Amino acid sequence: MSVYLVKKKVTGGTREFSTISLVCNRFPPTTTVMYRQLAVITSLLVFCTAMNVFAQGSPNWQQRVHYKMDVTLLADNHKMTGTQWLTYTNNSPDTLQTVFYHLYFNAFQPSSMMAERNRNLPDPDGRVVPRIWNLSDDEIGYHHVLSLTQNGVRLSHDVNDTVMQVELNEPVPPGTSTTIKMKFQSQVPLQTRRNGRDSNEGVDFSMSQWYPKIAAYDERGWHADPYVGREFYAPFGTFEVSIKAPANFVLGGTGVVQNPDVVGHGYQTDDAIKMSYSAADSLTWMFKAENVHDFAWVADTEYIHEKIQGEDGVTYHLLYLPDVAQSWSNMSQQVPQLIQSLGRMVGTYPYPQFTVAQAGDGGMEYPMVNFITGRRSPMSLLGVTAHEAAHEWFYAVLGSNEADYSWMDEGFTQYISTRAMNDVLGRPAPSFGGALQGIVTVQKLGLSERLNTPSDWFETNLGYGVAAYSGGLMVADMLGHVMSDEVRDEWLKEYFRRYKFKHPNPYDVEKVAEDVSGLRLDWFFEQLTNTTRQLDYGVGSIASFRGDNGWTSTIGLERKNQMVMPVDVRLVHRDGTESYATVPLGIMQGHKPVADGWTVGKPWNWTFTEYNLIVESTSPVVAAEVDPFHRTPDFN
C-alpha cells in the first residue's frame, strides 16, 4: 500500500481554502517515487506540526458583548419576565450566520440532561439528587423565549434542553456588530444546584445562570455546551441590568448599584438618609458592570447588609440572614484582607466592588459576587470565602474555558486561596503534600483521569474533583518544584498581567512559564494535563570513596514509573550533616535556581531509567531521600 498527496479546494462558511489529503492505494509506485513522496509527507507533517504549535496559544481576538436587560421579579409565584437587548461584536475572522444561547433554567427538570447524567453517575451530586427527579411543575425551572428579533425582523430558533440555536436574518461579518432583542419569561426553580428559590438556609432568591446567555465563540468555534453540571465559558463585555422587585427585598450582585439613594437598603450614599419600605411597593435596582463575562444577583427580605469601604478603594458588601450574624462577625475584616492578600500574590483586584452573599448550596463564584452557604463554623466560613474570592482572579478576570480546562480555574484557585487564607491567619506558607498524596490514592484506585478531560465528561464526580482541584493545585505547586518557588510566583503575576480580561488556554499557561523561567516546560504540562502517568523515584545504591581532596559519593537513582521529573535529593553525611542536590532533566534545557551549597547534577536524559548522582564532600554520604520536601505525587 502506498501514500499519495491529493490537493483539493474546500468551501467552509464564507471562506475557501485548500487542503492536502493523504490517500492510500494498493498499487505502489516505483521505489524512487515512493521515497520522494515519503520525504514530502515527512516535510509536510513537520510543517503542519510547527503550524499547530504556533497556533496553540489563544488568538489575538475575542468576541465582545453588551447586555441591556430589564427584568421584573414576580416573587410570589417565583417567576420573572424580561427584555434583553444584546449587542454582539464579532471580532473573529469568520462571518457568523448562526448564534447559540444557554437557557440554564431548563436544566432543572426531571427529564433534563442534568437529571439523566445524575441517574447514571456512580457517585451523583447529593445537592442535585434526588431533588431534581422530584421537582413538581411549580418547582421546575424554565426559560420561555417569547420573541426574538434582529433589527426588527423575527428570528427562528430551536431549543434542545438548555441550548437554543438561532438562525440570523443578517449574517455578522468580521469586525461588525448586531443587536438581538429578546423577550422571555422564566420560572425560578426550587434551589437545586447553584441557583434557585427558597434555599435550605432560607434565602429567597439565588439568581445565577438566570438569563438567556449567548455562548462563547473562539478559534475552535461555538461552545454551546449543554448545562449538565459544571463550569462555564462566556465572552467579556458590559452588563446594564435593571431589576424590578418588591420594595422589601434587599438585592446584591455583580456590578455597582447605579441608583443607591433610590433603592436604599444600606446602599445609600449618605447614612443619614432613612427610608421605609412596603411589600406593596416596588423598587427598580439598576446595576452596571464592565469587563465581566457573567452577571449574578441575590434577593431576600431579611438580609442584613454590611457595607465596608476598604483601604484599597474597593467597596465591600456582606449580605446574610440574622441567624448567622454571630458566625459572620469577623467577615467585615477578613474579606478585605483576603482580597488584598490575593492582590499582592497575583495582581490588584480590578473591580470597584465585591459582594459576599449567603446564598446557593455551597460556594460559587461570579464576577464581583460570591454565593456561599452561611451556617458554618468561623474556620469553614473563612475557607469557603477564601476559595470563592480567589475565583475573582482565576475565573472572573482570567476567563479560561473552564468547561474544558477546569484545572486552570479550580486548581489555581485552590492553590492561591490556601496561601491567602494562611496569610490572613498569620500562618506560615502551606504544604500541599496532602493534596498530592490524594492524587496518588485516586491513581491507586484506578479512578484518575486526564486533567484536560472536559468537566462534564469525567466518569465520576470524585475523578473530576481530584483532577480539577488537586490536579490544578499540583500544576501550580510543582512549577515551584521545577523552576523554584520564587520564579513560580513571578509566573503567577506575569500570567495575570498578560491575560487579564482574556481567555487563556493551557498553552498560554505553558508559554508564560517558559518565558519567565527560561526553561523548556512542554514535557511538564503534557504529562500532568494530558496523561495519567504515575511518578515513582527511588534510591538504589550509595557508594563512596576517599580521594586526595575529600570524599566522592555516587548515589544511584532509579525511575520506577512512567512520569519523568527533575529530582531533589536530601543527603545525609557520616558526620551528621545534611546537604541537598537537584537533578534536572535534559529536556528542561536548564535547571532551577538553587540555594548556595546545593549540588546540581548533570542532566538526566529521560530515556534512561537509572542515573548516578555524583557528590563531592568532606564527609561521605550514608543515606539519601528523594523528594524530601514532598513536592511531587510520588507513588511510593
Side-chain angles (χ1 to χ4, degrees):
M1 184 172 65
S2 59
V3 182
Y4 294 89
L5 300 180
V6 177
K7 184 176 181 181
K8 63 181 179 179
K9 209 169 265 189
V10 178
T11 301
T14 60
R15 294 184 294 175
E16 194 174 76
F17 54 95
S18 295
T19 64
I20 295 177
S21 303
L22 305 184
V23 179
C24 297
N25 190 297
R26 59 186 135 166
F27 301 106
T30 66
T31 303
T32 301
V33 173
M34 180 177 68
Y35 282 131
R36 285 177 181 169
Q37 289 182 337
L38 288 175
V40 172
I41 293 166
T42 302
S43 299
L44 283 167
L45 290 175
V46 170
F47 175 72
C48 293
T49 300
M51 287 191 65
N52 286 337
V53 171
F54 181 78
Q56 284 171 335
S58 57
N60 58 6
W61 58 267
Q62 59 188 46
Q63 309 295 61
R64 194 78 183 175
V65 294
H66 190 150
Y67 287 91
K68 289 185 178 181
M69 288 187 278
D70 290 340
V71 298
T72 299
L73 177 65
L74 308 172
D76 289 343
N77 60 6
H78 314 117
K79 287 183 170 61
M80 174 179 60
T81 61
T83 302
Q84 177 191 101
W85 296 265
L86 170 63
T87 300
Y88 186 86
T89 300
N90 177 22
N91 293 316
S92 81
D94 309 320
T95 294
L96 304 180
Q97 303 188 41
T98 304
V99 299
F100 293 85
Y101 283 79
H102 298 283
L103 306 179
Y104 292 116
F105 274 3
N106 290 359
F108 301 100
Q109 301 177 13
S111 60
S112 70
M113 290 182 67
M114 179 183 285
E116 184 65 15
R117 179 63 170 161
N118 279 277
R119 284 188 179 94
N120 294 291
L121 282 172
D123 55 342
D125 190 331
R127 293 166 293 190
V128 177
V129 298
R131 174 173 285 198
I132 195 170
W133 302 331
N134 301 322
L135 293 173
S136 59
D137 288 346
D138 62 349
E139 293 173 335
I140 65 171
Y142 60 71
H143 290 299
H144 291 163
V145 176
L146 306 179
S147 68
L148 196 62
T149 59
Q150 180 189 21
N151 297 330
V153 178
R154 197 172 190 88
L155 299 176
S156 63
H157 64 276
D158 180 65
V159 176
N160 179 10
D161 198 67
T162 61
V163 175
M164 179 173 71
Q165 180 174 342
V166 180
E167 302 302 325
L168 297 177
N169 177 58
E170 299 177 18
V172 187
T176 66
S177 301
T178 193
T179 299
I180 301 172
K181 181 181 178 181
M182 178 193 302
K183 291 188 177 181
F184 62 95
Q185 183 185 64
S186 307
Q187 180 166 285
V188 183
L190 184 66
Q191 177 77 46
T192 304
R193 184 69 183 99
R194 297 188 176 98
N195 58 26
R197 62 167 174 94
D198 303 327
S199 76
N200 288 335
E201 294 187 345
V203 175
D204 291 333
F205 292 97
S206 302
M207 301 296 283
S208 58
Q209 287 82 51
W210 62 275
Y211 60 95
K213 179 181 179 182
I214 199 160
Y217 185 89
D218 62 16
E219 72 278 12
R220 296 169 61 192
W222 286 104
H223 294 264
D225 299 311
Y227 187 21
V228 175
R230 306 187 184 101
E231 311 310 339
F232 309 97
Y233 181 37
F236 282 96
T238 298
F239 286 73
E240 296 179 77
V241 182
S242 296
I243 303 168
K244 184 178 180 181
N248 59 336
F249 275 84
V250 184
L251 273 65
T254 297
V256 176
V257 176
Q258 300 296 293
N259 56 341
D261 293 333
V262 173
V263 299
H265 286 297
Y267 287 93
Q268 57 265 37
T269 56
D270 185 349
D271 291 338
I273 299 175
K274 302 298 180 183
M275 298 180 177
S276 59
Y277 312 97
S278 168
D281 298 327
S282 62
L283 287 173
T284 297
W285 297 67
M286 301 172 64
F287 292 88
K288 185 175 182 179
E290 297 179 293
N291 277 330
V292 297
H293 50 74
D294 204 356
F295 186 100
W297 54 284
V298 294
D300 194 276
T301 58
E302 298 182 12
Y303 270 145
I304 296 172
H305 175 206
E306 286 189 59
K307 181 171 69 174
I308 307 105
Q309 190 58 49
E311 296 178 357
D312 53 357
V314 177
T315 302
Y316 297 89
H317 301 279
L318 303 179
L319 296 170
Y320 54 89
L321 299 180
D323 66 327
V324 301
Q326 183 174 356
S327 61
W328 281 57
S329 60
N330 293 326
M331 291 280 278
S332 59
Q333 291 81 38
Q334 291 176 337
V335 171
Q337 289 173 349
L338 284 169
I339 293 295
Q340 291 159 26
S341 175
L342 291 161
R344 290 190 295 271
M345 193 186 316
V346 186
T348 303
Y349 180 74
Y351 296 123
Q353 75 91 25
F354 180 60
T355 298
V356 179
Q358 181 183 359
D361 51 53
M364 191 60 196
E365 70 280 358
Y366 300 97
M368 293 191 240
V369 61
N370 290 170
F371 293 5
I372 60 174
T373 46
R375 295 174 185 168
R376 299 170 176 267
S377 67
M379 283 301 294
S380 174
L381 190 62
L382 177 60
V384 70
T385 303
H387 180 87
E388 304 309 334
H391 272 301
E392 296 302 306
W393 281 261
F394 293 107
Y395 156 78
V397 180
L398 293 163
S400 60
N401 179 357
E402 52 177 336
D404 285 350
Y405 313 117
S406 54
W407 60 273
M408 292 176 61
D409 165 61
E410 295 294 354
F412 289 174
T413 290
Q414 188 78 351
Y415 175 75
I416 65 170
S417 65
T418 306
R419 289 182 59 178
M421 182 175 172
N422 278 36
D423 184 27
V424 168
L425 293 173
R427 294 176 176 176
S431 168
F432 298 103
L436 300 186
Q437 284 308 304
I439 292 173
V440 172
T441 298
V442 172
Q443 288 176 338
K444 291 179 178 179
L445 292 172
L447 297 175
S448 63
E449 298 183 57
R450 293 185 319 126
L451 269 60
N452 278 341
T453 301
S455 61
D456 281 328
W457 290 77
F458 279 87
E459 293 294 329
T460 64
N461 277 319
L462 173 63
Y464 162 77
V466 170
Y469 291 79
S470 298
L473 181 154
M474 172 181 67
V475 171
D477 187 52
M478 285 184 65
L479 276 175
H481 166 67
V482 170
M483 60 187 189
S484 83
D485 290 334
E486 294 77 15
V487 177
R488 185 269 325 286
D489 289 349
E490 292 178 25
W491 160 78
L492 270 175
K493 294 178 180 178
E494 179 63 13
Y495 177 45
F496 179 79
R497 187 192 69 79
R498 281 193 205 180
Y499 289 102
K500 61 184 177 182
F501 306 125
K502 297 180 181 179
H503 304 289
N505 65 34
Y507 296 103
D508 298 318
V509 176
E510 176 187 316
K511 183 63 167 61
V512 176
E514 290 190 335
D515 289 349
V516 170
S517 69
L519 301 172
R520 179 181 171 185
L521 295 170
D522 53 348
W523 58 270
F524 174 86
F525 287 95
E526 178 65 22
Q527 290 182 108
L528 266 62
T529 66
N530 280 329
T531 78
T532 57
R533 290 186 172 187
Q534 299 162 357
L535 185 147
D536 192 5
Y537 281 88
V539 178
S541 61
I542 300 174
S544 300
F545 69 90
R546 188 166 194 167
D548 294 337
N549 298 315
W551 289 85
T552 299
S553 299
T554 302
I555 299 93
L557 303 178
E558 300 174 346
R559 176 168 60 83
K560 303 178 180 181
N561 225 319
Q562 294 173 304
M563 184 179 288
V564 299
M565 198 64 56
V567 180
D568 287 347
V569 186
R570 182 175 69 93
L571 306 166
V572 180
H573 299 267
R574 183 183 293 170
D575 62 5
T577 61
E578 294 183 353
S579 64
Y580 293 88
T582 189
V583 180
L585 291 173
I587 200 171
M588 292 171 63
Q589 298 168 354
H591 64 82
K592 67 181 176 183
V594 295
D596 292 342
W598 276 57
T599 297
V600 178
K602 66 179 182 179
W604 187 341
N605 291 325
W606 68 266
T607 58
F608 294 87
T609 59
E610 296 181 347
Y611 172 94
N612 287 328
L613 171 64
I614 310 298
V615 177
E616 305 287 345
S617 59
T618 58
S619 178
V621 174
V622 295
E625 177 190 9
V626 298
D627 192 23
F629 306 110
H630 307 292
R631 301 297 297 272
T632 69
D634 196 278
F635 217 62
N636 183 2

